[in-house]
Amino acid sequence: QLQPVESGGGLVQPGGSLTLSCATSGDKLRRYAVGWFRQAPGKEREGVSCISAGGTTTNYADSVKDRFTISRDNAKSTVYLQMSDLRPGDTAVYYCAVDRTPFPPTCTLVNDNGRYVTWGQGTQVTVSS
């Protein structure tokens, strides 16, 4: 079973940038779509971005479109989330999660019916001056 591990979070000033990584051991991650989600204190978890297994399809929440970029390096079994122009509203714990179905044609920001079955422990992103 794939177990993703997130890294790269931290404290950044508004307007700054961070890159999050989601890595797994072995080489099976290439078969699955991966999603990034976040949860701020007192708020529900929301989908931020996702990428299909082959990397040809990506989706973004409207709130991060044109500021965040998702990518993957299947040779390294790692998915990245490049975040720029960060705002205080981006403060949250960020989680990556792996889709349960191998080689899906696309990806989704909605964890309907438990689509995303394995989750990382999360990494804190704080945007503050």
Side-chain angles (χ1 to χ4, degrees):
Q1 186 178 18
L2 294 172
Q3 180 58 57
V5 178
E6 305 95 336
S7 61
L11 173 65
V12 63
Q13 292 187 341
S17 300
L18 279 176
T19 297
L20 306 183
S21 298
C22 171
T24 67
S25 60
D27 65 352
K28 294 183 179 179
L29 187 64
R30 66 180 68 236
R31 304 177 185 178
Y32 299 94
V34 174
W36 281 100
F37 296 79
R38 69 185 181 187
Q39 187 165 21
K43 294 188 177 181
E44 292 191 356
R45 185 175 61 196
E46 63 173 343
V48 175
S49 183
C50 65
I51 187 166
S52 61
T56 56
T57 299
T58 58
N59 287 308
Y60 298 92
D62 288 343
S63 59
V64 307
K65 206 169 290 184
D66 299 326
R67 299 190 297 122
F68 291 11
T69 301
I70 192 170
S71 62
R72 66 190 301 157
D73 184 342
N74 284 337
K76 295 182 177 180
S77 294
T78 301
V79 173
Y80 303 97
L81 185 68
Q82 295 175 275
M83 307 184 294
S84 61
D85 189 23
L86 284 162
R87 305 166 182 171
D90 296 316
T91 296
V93 178
Y94 285 71
Y95 301 89
C96 69
V98 181
D99 193 311
R100 67 170 180 258
T101 304
F103 300 114
T106 184
C107 67
T108 177
L109 299 181
V110 180
N111 187 29
D112 54 319
N113 296 316
R115 182 188 186 109
Y116 289 96
V117 291
T118 52
W119 294 74
Q121 82 288 349
T123 186
Q124 176 71 48
V125 172
T126 303
V127 184
S128 175
S129 55

